[in-house]
Amino acid sequence: MFMLESHLDAGQSRAVAEVQRIATQSGMTVWLAGGAMRDMLRGAPVRDLDFTVERDAIDTGRSLAQALGGHVVAEDPLKRWVELSVNSVTASVANARVERHSKPGGKPQIAPATIHEDLARRDFTINAIALSLNRGSRGLLVDPSNGQADLINRELRSTNPNVFFDDPIRIFRLIRLQHLLGFQVTPRTRSQLENALSSNFQTVAAPAALAREIRATAMAPNAVNMLRALDEHGLLRLISPALTGPNLNASGLARLEKLAHSVFRPSDGGGWLAFLNVLVEKLSPKERAEAVRAFQLTAEEETTWKKLD
């Protein structure tokens, strides 16, 4: 708990305290899991808070947003999941669950689960670690896949054989994490990736899902290498058939990367829009409009992007 608190800012600390209070009053258990645990254990700033509860996730998320003076950004009634935003704090609350898929990326059958079962159905071991925030077990680490060892060894390993079948978006996420973290993909997971690509699982995922992964790494030091890897696997074509080969402005993005970190903060929207502007620079106006559409810019972002020099 000391390690967690030392990695949270004031807003995040308040969110953790409030979700503990709400869970205690409701008589349910709550864990911090996912990317927050991965970042904390590797000594990096925590970007998003992912809370897992055993029931009533949507009601808990709404109550948390209200207590913090924020608002709900998105809800998924099927998976019992809610995302909320409070100033600079982004958090999600989800039910512990298992999912059964009949086809790649298909609508899953959902069932309640224990925290161990919930972690086992996640994507990669480094994202399958949870920390108890409950009064009787606060600070207890739950790591059934030994993700801590993979963090130490700097390896990306899938939690189960069906990670890409269940959710093809994980194909994009694996490549993003590989370059964002500088980790190596284990041979077995690489074989799973190659099998998923040869089975065209990636075509089931929406282009917007790939766009979100690119956006999440846009201002990171290895963004250009990530884009090259996506292009090598033929994935950038999902955003625009023209965004490949010579039309991938890797040299321009590399120049931007050298300059951007002295001008923009990693969370700065202007930096992200500058990245996007350079990314689609070599496309025709029609191709550029198609590619940008996949990134689903907000009205404010679109206005700012059009005014960029």
Side-chain angles (χ1 to χ4, degrees), residues 54-55 95-99 109-115 117-118:
E54 59 186 8
R55 56 181 169 81
N95 275 19
R97 66 186 188 272
V98 290
E99 301 179 4
Q109 292 181 331
I110 305 292
T114 65
I115 186 62
E117 292 170 325
D118 181 87

Side-chain angles (χ1 to χ4, degrees), residues 14-30 51 53 55-68 84 93 133-135 138:
R14 185 184 170 203
V16 170
E18 285 295 334
V19 80
Q20 287 176 303
R21 178 187 62 80
I22 294 169
T24 299
Q25 289 180 349
S26 303
M28 64 181 177
T29 51
V30 58
F51 300 111
V53 296
R55 56 181 169 81
D56 300 333
I58 292 182
D59 289 341
T60 302
R62 290 172 178 169
S63 297
L64 181 60
Q66 184 177 10
L68 297 173
L84 56 106
V93 184
L133 301 177
N134 308 296
R135 180 173 296 174
R138 189 169 299 162

Side-chain angles (χ1 to χ4, degrees), residues 231 236-237 239-245 247-249 279-280 283 291 295:
D231 189 35
L236 288 182
R237 294 176 182 269
I239 289 180
S240 170
L243 189 60
T244 184
N247 282 344
L248 173 58
N249 192 11
L279 174 64
V280 300
L283 304 184
F295 287 92

Side-chain angles (χ1 to χ4, degrees), residues 57-58 72-83 93-95 97 99 107-108 110:
I58 292 182
V72 172
V73 176
E75 289 184 14
D76 187 334
L78 175 65
K79 295 183 178 181
R80 307 297 296 170
W81 166 88
V82 61
E83 182 179 354
V93 184
N95 275 19
R97 66 186 188 272
E99 301 179 4
K107 184 178 179 179
I110 305 292

